[in-house]
mmCIF file of all heavy atoms in Angstrom:
data_model
loop_
_atom_site.group_PDB
_atom_site.id
_atom_site.type_symbol
_atom_site.label_atom_id
_atom_site.label_comp_id
_atom_site.label_asym_id
_atom_site.label_seq_id
_atom_site.Cartn_x
_atom_site.Cartn_y
_atom_site.Cartn_z
ATOM 1 N N LYS A 36 134.389 163.697 5.372
ATOM 2 C CA LYS A 36 133.101 163.838 6.039
ATOM 3 C C LYS A 36 132.064 164.560 5.119
ATOM 4 O O LYS A 36 131.014 164.173 4.908
ATOM 5 C CB LYS A 36 133.329 164.562 7.392
ATOM 6 C CG LYS A 36 132.045 164.602 8.288
ATOM 7 C CD LYS A 36 132.259 165.251 9.598
ATOM 8 C CE LYS A 36 131.913 166.768 9.450
ATOM 9 N NZ LYS A 36 132.102 167.478 10.622
ATOM 10 N N ALA A 44 123.021 163.156 0.687
ATOM 11 C CA ALA A 44 121.886 164.215 0.713
ATOM 12 C C ALA A 44 120.616 163.499 0.018
ATOM 13 O O ALA A 44 120.701 162.954 -1.031
ATOM 14 C CB ALA A 44 122.342 165.512 -0.008
ATOM 15 N N LEU A 47 117.514 168.457 -2.694
ATOM 16 C CA LEU A 47 118.234 169.710 -3.028
ATOM 17 C C LEU A 47 118.382 170.685 -1.856
ATOM 18 O O LEU A 47 119.343 171.261 -1.727
ATOM 19 C CB LEU A 47 117.396 170.359 -4.234
ATOM 20 C CG LEU A 47 117.843 169.889 -5.580
ATOM 21 C CD1 LEU A 47 116.702 170.392 -6.665
ATOM 22 C CD2 LEU A 47 119.243 170.252 -6.088
ATOM 23 N N GLY A 62 130.829 179.216 7.039
ATOM 24 C CA GLY A 62 131.059 177.789 6.925
ATOM 25 C C GLY A 62 132.465 177.402 7.355
ATOM 26 O O GLY A 62 133.365 178.184 7.504
ATOM 27 N N LEU A 93 135.062 170.125 -2.695
ATOM 28 C CA LEU A 93 133.641 170.168 -2.203
ATOM 29 C C LEU A 93 132.704 170.797 -3.280
ATOM 30 O O LEU A 93 131.649 170.299 -3.389
ATOM 31 C CB LEU A 93 133.623 170.924 -0.876
ATOM 32 C CG LEU A 93 134.332 170.290 0.300
ATOM 33 C CD1 LEU A 93 133.882 170.880 1.713
ATOM 34 C CD2 LEU A 93 133.977 168.773 0.361
ATOM 35 N N ILE A 159 48.285 181.064 -44.425
ATOM 36 C CA ILE A 159 47.030 181.645 -44.068
ATOM 37 C C ILE A 159 46.379 181.862 -45.494
ATOM 38 O O ILE A 159 46.923 182.701 -46.260
ATOM 39 C CB ILE A 159 47.166 182.937 -43.331
ATOM 40 C CG1 ILE A 159 47.771 182.691 -41.959
ATOM 41 C CG2 ILE A 159 45.825 183.749 -43.253
ATOM 42 C CD1 ILE A 159 48.140 183.781 -41.164
ATOM 43 N N ASN A 210 47.258 178.814 -70.536
ATOM 44 C CA ASN A 210 47.602 177.573 -71.250
ATOM 45 C C ASN A 210 49.100 177.146 -71.310
ATOM 46 O O ASN A 210 49.555 176.321 -71.924
ATOM 47 C CB ASN A 210 47.131 177.475 -72.650
ATOM 48 C CG ASN A 210 45.518 177.562 -72.624
ATOM 49 O OD1 ASN A 210 44.954 177.354 -71.654
ATOM 50 N ND2 ASN A 210 44.961 177.806 -73.690
ATOM 51 N N ALA A 217 54.567 171.448 -54.737
ATOM 52 C CA ALA A 217 54.412 172.489 -53.688
ATOM 53 C C ALA A 217 54.402 171.802 -52.318
ATOM 54 O O ALA A 217 53.446 171.175 -51.921
ATOM 55 C CB ALA A 217 53.160 173.256 -53.852
ATOM 56 N N LEU A 257 57.092 155.545 -60.717
ATOM 57 C CA LEU A 257 58.568 155.624 -60.561
ATOM 58 C C LEU A 257 58.986 156.267 -59.325
ATOM 59 O O LEU A 257 59.933 155.803 -58.642
ATOM 60 C CB LEU A 257 58.997 156.587 -61.787
ATOM 61 C CG LEU A 257 60.405 156.622 -62.223
ATOM 62 C CD1 LEU A 257 60.750 155.285 -62.799
ATOM 63 C CD2 LEU A 257 60.606 157.736 -63.211
ATOM 64 N N GLY A 294 53.142 142.654 -48.310
ATOM 65 C CA GLY A 294 51.913 142.223 -48.949
ATOM 66 C C GLY A 294 51.379 140.938 -48.287
ATOM 67 O O GLY A 294 50.129 140.581 -48.677
ATOM 68 N N HIS A 315 40.505 168.568 -62.996
ATOM 69 C CA HIS A 315 39.040 168.658 -63.499
ATOM 70 C C HIS A 315 39.029 169.874 -64.448
ATOM 71 O O HIS A 315 39.616 170.983 -64.148
ATOM 72 C CB HIS A 315 38.135 168.996 -62.241
ATOM 73 C CG HIS A 315 36.784 168.849 -62.507
ATOM 74 N ND1 HIS A 315 36.011 169.507 -63.428
ATOM 75 C CD2 HIS A 315 35.891 167.854 -62.044
ATOM 76 C CE1 HIS A 315 34.771 169.220 -63.386
ATOM 77 N NE2 HIS A 315 34.760 168.003 -62.626
ATOM 78 N N GLY A 323 41.711 180.241 -65.348
ATOM 79 C CA GLY A 323 42.264 180.941 -66.599
ATOM 80 C C GLY A 323 42.783 180.069 -67.610
ATOM 81 O O GLY A 323 43.432 180.578 -68.580
ATOM 82 N N ARG A 340 52.880 160.713 -43.162
ATOM 83 C CA ARG A 340 52.538 159.370 -43.472
ATOM 84 C C ARG A 340 53.565 158.579 -44.174
ATOM 85 O O ARG A 340 53.874 157.393 -43.834
ATOM 86 C CB ARG A 340 51.264 159.302 -44.361
ATOM 87 C CG ARG A 340 50.753 157.938 -44.658
ATOM 88 C CD ARG A 340 49.178 157.931 -44.967
ATOM 89 N NE ARG A 340 48.921 156.645 -45.437
ATOM 90 C CZ ARG A 340 48.630 155.580 -44.684
ATOM 91 N NH1 ARG A 340 48.658 155.652 -43.410
ATOM 92 N NH2 ARG A 340 48.318 154.409 -45.207
#
Side-chain angles (χ1 to χ4, degrees):
K36 188 177 89 179
L47 282 164
L93 293 193
I159 297 173
N210 298 343
L257 200 65
H315 197 294
R340 180 157 172 82

